[in-house]
Every structure is written in structure tokens, then in C-alpha cells.
Amino acid sequence: MNFIFSIVLSSVVVLILVLIPWIGVGALKLDTLFGIIIPYIALFVFFAGIIGRVIGWARSPVPFRIPTTAGQQWSLPWIRRSPLENPKSTAGVVGRMIFEVLTFRSLFRNTKLQFRSGFRIGYEWEKWLWLFALAFHYSFLVVLIRHLRFFTEPIPGFVNLIEQLDGLMQTGVAPVEGFMLPSVMISGFVLLGAVTLLVLRRILIPQVNYVSLPGDYFPLFLITAIGLTGVLMRYVLKVDIVSVKELTMGLVTFRPSIPYEIGVLFYIHLFLVSVLIAYIPFSKITHMAGVFLSPTRNLSNNSRFVRHINPWSYPVPVHTYDEYEEEFRDKMIAVGLPVEKMPEEEAGSAEEEKE
Amino acid sequence: MAEKIMKPEEMANVNHTPPLLSGWMHRPVEIKSGIYCYPAKPASLEYVSFPHAREWSPMDEDWKLPPNWKEIILEGLRERLERFRSLKIFMDICVRCGACADKCHFFIGGGDPRNMPVLRAELLRSVYRKEFTTAGKLMGEIAGARELTVDVLKEWWYYFFQCTECRRCSLFCPYGIDTAEITIVARELLNLLGLNIDWIATPVANCYRTGNHLGIQPHAFKDMIDFFLDDIEDITGIRMEPSLNRKGAEILFVTPSGDVFADPGTYTCMGYIILFHYLQSLGFDLTWSTFASEGGNFGYFTSHEMAKRLNAKMYAEAKRLGVKWILGGECGHMWRVINQYMDTFNGPADFLEEPVSPITGTKFENAKTTKMVHITEFTADLIKNNKLKLDASRNDNLKVTFHDSCNPARAMGLLEEPRYIIRNTCNHFYEMPDNTIREQTFCCGSGAGLNAGENMELRLRGGLPRANAVKYVHEKFGVNMLSCVCAIDRAVFPALMEYWVPEVGVTGVHELVGNALILEGEKKRETNLRGEPLPGMEEEKDV
Ligand code: SF4
Ligand code: SF4
């Protein structure tokens, strides 16, 4: 299995996933299946799966405090400590996690090996992965929030606000004839751009290429397909937004119904999203939940001053001092090391000698 | 062995591009001499009741595995998934972003793709997927799952004994995935089949029996200390009288036995003795122990259980001697165990008191429950409170740089304490480049029990990134001394430096202290603790 196989396989699977609703809705008119049943199943699988995952993780205890410390510990009062990189309390851990989750602190640290033989190995500034990852996750988030307009009535203020900001971002971009209605949302394009860069990076960096699995390409391709269908719907082959909202509102209010004539493109988009949602709990995308439970990041470095209990701790055989002295007593006495027990016969005299 | 080793220029010529067209999953492992360590001697395993002790050779086709080996491993893995959230999470959430890939010193210096932390972890993760995840069971290889076969087991043994558990990878991982943690568990599993290496198993058995890794028996331990006293007397004119196994002392001192045993660690050990002697007149009351004569813990490189069994000695001895608290010497993994495990393993140490420096009155609040203080915390506090008379010029022939040992850096955060001491005992101190020190420090390449002789090529390769940084400051500032707070560093760096940067020596921080400390009633010092003339004394000696 190499990267070519992984890429071909993942692309073929995504293509098939596009074809399924195309045929299902376009030819077989299975609107209810693709518009209602599959989304519900997907949501159910998502929630059941992710809850199962988190419970599964949480069921295993954290026997030891093993934070990776990334800065000066708290020791002597005059030594400046790093409260965020090496937290000693819960507040510090919360801060560390916030930086980790919201700004990808650890990725920001990234360097790239510059290997030149003859002793000039360098570790260069490398912020691309951090930048791509940040662009990807934040644009995804914005797209997600924008989509809340399909699931709420009235639409909450922050959704409108985000959308306005998202639209404003493109001021200055020369409008293409007939393209600027409705206003262009920058997030969708950033998302597609970031996904592309992440795919390229995965293929072009040999080490990353080598360790990649089909499960690394597949979600990227799936998200690309979702993004493309979304962009197509919004800007090119416009679908009937009113009908879409009717369907989505039906879904969230548990009074699902299929409006007429939404167009097959929408069903493809919806189906791909359903697949993604259902796929999350069984894939590496669980990192979004797992990162919060990672023991090297969410624990404070306090195990020298706050006792940590291992719930499955059990007594272990040890070699006691008495056993040790038993074996070496004579030798110890010979060099004048104190012992607990004098050998019977010379106990008295040896004791006296020493005093 | 040394003659078989290639030239540095040849060794430093490393290719980091893996064979992209063939995947890694089915590449058979190629076990190379110079890289692997000899298997454990049966007697050592038997001494601590480890299972399946036997004679076997990694080079043989047949590793003489027990017939139900697979069951043992899978059951062992299941048990550990239930015990360690870290393992479960780390098995599930890696996205193979590759941020960790070029952070491992073994990959940098060797180029073997399976030494990329992410791939090292995948060696175990692939089997986890096959046995414990639905996707892996259903889709097999496509889901990154792999059958556990004898070849996979051999691959595990080869590569999990090529990880020094240094945690550098975990620093850069966006989810904190710690390949060291995975290595620890994988070694536990291998140990269930008797697949240990001798350089770990024998020190473990020694430590269990004699109290220290090197198997130094109590009378010999005393002899060795006496040797130091003779040397110190020659140099300072003062006969010191440290106590051993003395009941009723206030403080118990525990340090790695490596420093009692071999140069240049011995000079650090002399440094301790001199410091303790200096403090004696100020009311310092300390004893060494021949029973708790090991600070390090090679048990930690076999299993959590063995780590606990060996670590138990420290508290047991503190209790027997009736001391108030414990002072710990310079050592790397020792401090990971003390900081992150000791209290949980063998506490609560309620028979001890919260550590207070008898000289300065400083309370070591950060050691409140463990009751164990790091010697650089202790000494830094002394210097800060002006309790030590130091003549830094005695170290003027040294241009010093400091190597952060992995564990004190990334499993504790002891960064400033040793630097403070160095700055006060030497006049010439230079840092290596930022990306190679403090939390980003590079491993010596020989930690976690890999400091054997037969794997010298692995060690030299693993040590390349560190050596490269030393070479940089050597060329730029004329650095000629690499200081550290780790006994393994002191044991392994001399060979590493001799190979990569021959002009640089190795020292412990307390050797610098021992040299600089001005003792009451000492004679005019002419040499340092190594017997080399002090700066300005060279000519006098010649005359
Ligand atoms: S940095 Fe973390 S998530 Fe990325 S490949 Fe390495 S272990 Fe996996
Ligand atoms: S812990 Fe250190 S030696 Fe092990 S994989 Fe990570 S970087 Fe490499």
C-alpha cells in the first residue's frame, strides 16, 4: 500500500459517494431516504459514536500525572516559572488547553529539519502546517456557523454577524460579472484552499507521505467534495433556498417533510455531509474530542506537591532492607557500616568495639 | 567494536526520504548489528521473576517464543488499554500530520523511517486497529490495520528499543501524543515474553539485590567513597567524613550509582561530598545509603511495576533511617520517576517532613508531598542566599555549555536551577541554539537503557543532533565543556563527544561547584577535581 493506492482508493470512494445520491434522488426519486432518513441515521451514529468514544476513553483511568512540561517549573520563589507551559494548577491547565485548542500552540512550535551533512544540521522556521491547519479549522467553523441559518428561526444575531463579516472580507476583490450575487463568502474558499494545501503537503513531504493512510486522504477529499457542492449550489447552479430551509427546519423540529424541487445537487451535498458526520467517531477526526482528554496536556505538573492516586495500584514484591542486610551483613560489619542485627555470637563484642 | 564504526563524515550522511512507492507495513524488519542491544540474560530476568527467561538471539530465525505468545500480547494490550487513558487516546487520535516526524534524534541521525515517532507508534497502533477497532477488523490494511505476526513482534522489539523515551516528539504534537508512553507500554508487552535487553535487565536485577544498577555491594560502595576522600584530601588538604547508613540523620541523599563508579561522573560525586562537608559546620546533617544507593530506575524501562518495585527502596530507607526528607542527586530519568510517579507509586511518605533547607530555612513547597528535593534546587537556593563562598575563576579554563537532559526538561521543567548554579560557578557560559535546548532539548541518544556498547552506531547516530549543537558552540565560542545534570549523560557523552566533537569534555554541575567552593582551612588548590592544573597554576607545576 503506497500513497498512490491511498489516493486512488479515497478518490474512488468519494466519487461513489457522489454517485449514490445522484442516482438515488435523480433517477430513483428516493428523496425521503436521502433527505430525511439518512441524515437522521447519520446524526444518530455521530452522537452515539462520539459519546461511546468519549465514555470509552474516560473509562480508562489516568494512573499517573504525565504532563509534557514545556517551560520552567514552579520551584524557588525567585525563579520565574512558565504558568502556561508548565502549569501547576487547574487555572494554568485551562490556559494551556485554551492556547492548545484555539491557537494550536504545539503546532506553532514546529520546526523543519534542514539536514546538511558535514555538521550543519538546522531546524528552520516552519509555520506552514500551523497556518494551513488554522485556516482549515477556522474556516470550517465559520462555514458551520453560517449553516446555522438553515436550522434556526429566527436566525440568531451572531450567525448574521459572522456571515456579514465573512462577506465583508472580500471587499476589494474585483466582482466578476454575474458572480457576485449573492455576496461571496470568503470562508468557503479558504476552506477549499486550505484542504488543497493540506493534501499537497501530505503528498509532497516525503515523511508525511510515507506514514499516510487512506483514512488520511479520504476525509480531505470528502470535505473537498462537500465544499465544492456547496460552492456550486451557492454561486452557480443555484438551488431553491426556501425549500432547503423548509427541509432543514423540518429535520431539526422533528417534523420532517420533503419539499418539491430542491435539486439533486443539494441531496449530494447533504449525503456527503451525512457520511462525514457518521464517519467522524470511527476515524482520526475524533481528535477534536480526544485532545481535551490528552494526559500530557490537560494535567498540571504538581505531582511533587499534590498526591495523585492510581486507582488500580496494587502491592508489588520488593527487596527489603532486612533481606539486603541478611545477604551482606558480614561484609558491612567488616568495613564498619552500621547494621540492624549483629550476628549472634559476636554481637556483644562487636557492639562494644564500635562504641 | 570501535574499529567497525564508520567515519563521522560517512555516518553524518543520512538520507531522510523513505521509499515512497512501497508502504511500510510489509517491509520486513532488518535487524542490524550496531543498532540492537543484546538480549537479557535469563538469570537477570529470573532474579526479579520476569516471565519466559531463556537464551535467545535476535539474529536467529526462531526466538523461542512461548506457544501462546500472541494471546499473551493481546491480553496484555487489552489490560493496558483499560489501565492507561493515555494509551487509548494516543491509539485513537493521531492524524499523521507529521509534525513529530523530524523531531526524533534517531530519525535525524539515522534516517530509518520507522524511527519517526509517528511511525514508531503506528507499529503498535496498526495491531491495535486490527484487534480492537471495528474499522480495522472489517477493512484491514485499508484502515491501517495489521495482523500481529512474529515479524511484527520482531519489528517491535527492534524499534521500541530504539526509542529513548525522551518525549521530544510529544512536545510538538498538537494533541500531545507521547511516543515515549507508547514505547513504555510496548516494552511492557515485550517483557511479558521475556524479550528484554540485557543492558536493562541486568541493572534491574542488580538494583533489586544490591541497591544499585552496577551491583556495587555495600562494602565496595564504602571503598569507592573512601577513594574519593583520598583524592579530595590530596586536592584540598581536608579529610572529609561523609556518613553512610547513619540513623537519625536529617536528610538522606540518593544519587545514581553511575557517579560513584566511572569518570567523569565520579568528579560530580566528589563535588557532592565537598558541598556536604562545607555545609556540615553550618548544621547540615546528611547521610548516604548503601541500600538506597541508586537514584536511577532502569525498572522504568521495563514496566511500571518494576519501576515501582525499585523505587520503593527510597522511602523504605528514609523510613528506616528516620530522616526528615530526601535530597536527590543529578540524574535524568530518576527525576521523571520522582516527579511524576514516586508519590503515586509508593507514597504517601507521611513519615517524612516537608523539606526545609537547614541552612537557609527555605521551604521547598514544590516537594511538599514527595518530600524529595533536587540538588540543583537545593544548591541554587544556597547560592541565592549567599551561603556558599565560591571562586568561579577556578573554572576559568572551562568554556561551558549546558545540555538539558530530556526528563528534567520535559517531564519536570527543571531549566533555570542548574543554569543559575553554572553562572555562579563559572565565568564562561554559552547556550547552544534555542531549538536544541530547554524544552526542545535533544536527547543524548543513549537514554532509557540504551547506553550499551554493542549498539554504538545507534547511539552515535542518536547523539548526532546534540553533538551538532555542541559543535556549533565549540566553533563559535570555543566551548570545551559540556555540562549536564544526568548520570547517563556523563556516562555516554564522552564517547559521543570523542566521536563527533573531540575537543569537548563532559561534566556534572556539582563538579563545577566542588571546584569553585572555598573551604574553611583548605590548602591552596593547585588542581581541579580531575587533577588538572587550575588556571594560572600550569606554569608553577612545570617549574
Ligand atoms: S504530531 Fe501527533 S498527530 Fe501528528 S503525526 Fe505525530 S503523533 Fe500524530
Ligand atoms: S520519545 Fe524521543 S526517542 Fe522516542 S520516538 Fe519520541 S523523539 Fe524519538
Side-chain angles (χ1 to χ4, degrees), chain B residues 246 248-252 283-287 322-326 356-358:
Chain B
R246 179 165 56 86
E250 185 182 349
I251 298 163
L252 167 66
F284 192 62
D285 179 18
L286 171 140
T287 183
V323 300
K324 288 188 183 158
W325 54 276
I326 311 173
V356 175
S357 169

Side-chain angles (χ1 to χ4, degrees), chain B residues 412-425:
Chain B
M412 188 173 180
L414 182 100
L415 307 173
E416 285 304 333
E417 296 86 345
R419 286 180 167 79
Y420 182 77
I421 298 174
I422 295 169
R423 285 199 192 95
N424 280 282
T425 52

Side-chain angles (χ1 to χ4, degrees), chain B residues 60 86 114 129 194 239 252 319 330 338 483 489 521:
Chain B
D60 289 346
S86 51
R114 276 181 273 208
R129 289 198 192 99
R239 184 75 192 178
L252 167 66
K319 192 169 187 176
E330 297 178 11
I338 290 166
S483 65
D489 283 338

Side-chain angles (χ1 to χ4, degrees), chain B residues 38-109:
Chain B
Y38 297 147
K41 292 196 188 78
S44 297
L45 295 181
E46 274 155 9
Y47 192 80
V48 290
S49 322
F50 276 161
H52 301 293
R54 64 185 181 282
E55 295 281 353
W56 64 282
S57 163
M59 289 310 211
D60 289 346
E61 182 64 35
D62 179 13
W63 282 18
K64 302 183 193 156
L65 300 169
N68 59 339
W69 68 269
K70 196 169 167 179
E71 227 171 282
I72 295 175
I73 292 274
L74 294 180
E75 188 44 43
L77 181 54
R78 179 187 322 281
E79 205 177 281
R80 281 158 187 80
L81 285 164
E82 279 161 19
R83 282 187 179 169
F84 296 95
R85 184 180 301 166
S86 51
L87 177 65
K88 227 182 204 177
I89 298 233
F90 296 164
M91 287 293 105
D92 283 334
I93 64 173
C94 171
V95 299
R96 285 161 300 281
C97 67
C100 60
D102 57 358
K103 306 302 182 287
C104 177
H105 48 284
F106 286 121
F107 179 64
I108 297 173

